[in-house]
Amino acid sequence: MADGRHIVITGTSRGLGRALVQPLVDLGHTVSGCGRSVSAAEAFNQIYGEPHRFSSVDVGDADQVAAWADTVLDTKGPPDLLLNVAGLINDGAPFWEIDAASFDAILRTNVSGSANVIRSFLPAMMASGTGVVVNFSSGWGRHGSADVVPYCTSKFAVEGLSQALADEVP
């Protein structure tokens, strides 16, 4: 582990976030991960143990993210790599058939979630003078498509967040 990096990953309950954990651990990195599923976090803690740590966190909830980040920063320090992977996609349907609650949930996780995580970790990363933030997007973040309007909207926002943040970060 001496040569490994500290990597923070969101969305480790399933999908790409979950798939990234094993290869990064195998490469000797320390992983601090979160996802909404309590059972997935508990299972990963059983499988990997220390120095890795997985927590149940809703990235759309700024207070939950801040509390999780405080714990991670206090125990592991700032990450060398911050991977904002957590995301939701809607079931394919015309936009006018997607209810407001579903649309809002996608934006809350995909956009606000990424912002909450960055806001909670970036100051410590900047203070340490190191680290990289990677916000996962999609081709649908650059080119819209029918039946996934909420997802496309959120990923366009993630692209804008990433570009504007790159201009702000030293």
Side-chain angles (χ1 to χ4, degrees):
M1 285 293 182
D3 295 322
R5 305 285 187 204
H6 176 213
I7 301 176
V8 168
I9 309 173
T10 67
T12 58
S13 292
R14 59 191 186 120
L16 181 59
R18 183 180 187 94
L20 287 169
V21 172
Q22 186 67 56
L24 291 171
V25 169
D26 289 347
L27 288 170
H29 302 299
T30 297
V31 176
S32 298
C34 78
R36 287 184 297 170
S37 169
V38 172
S39 61
E42 290 172 350
F44 270 5
N45 285 324
Q46 288 287 327
I47 293 167
Y48 298 109
E50 287 294 330
H52 314 286
R53 184 75 185 136
F54 298 87
S55 302
S56 174
V57 177
D58 176 354
V59 295
D61 183 319
D63 292 336
Q64 281 187 39
V65 172
W68 172 61
D70 286 347
T71 300
V72 170
L73 293 169
D74 287 347
T75 59
K76 307 288 185 209
D80 298 297
L81 181 59
L82 173 60
L83 302 177
N84 263 320
V85 182
L88 296 176
I89 188 168
N90 59 286
D91 292 331
F95 176 67
W96 54 91
E97 293 178 8
I98 298 169
D99 62 84
S102 297
F103 185 88
D104 292 347
I106 291 167
L107 292 179
R108 183 176 182 271
T109 296
N110 298 3
V111 181
S112 296
S114 293
N116 291 338
V117 172
I118 294 166
R119 192 180 300 111
S120 295
F121 283 99
L122 188 60
M125 294 169 73
M126 289 173 41
S128 73
T130 186
V132 174
V133 175
V134 178
N135 297 317
F136 281 67
S137 182
S138 167
W140 283 334
R142 293 176 299 283
H143 307 284
S145 187
D147 295 336
V148 284
V149 170
Y151 185 75
C152 293
T153 300
S154 73
K155 292 305 181 175
F156 266 86
V158 168
E159 293 284 334
L161 169 68
S162 300
Q163 291 174 22
L165 186 63
D167 289 339
E168 286 189 1
V169 175

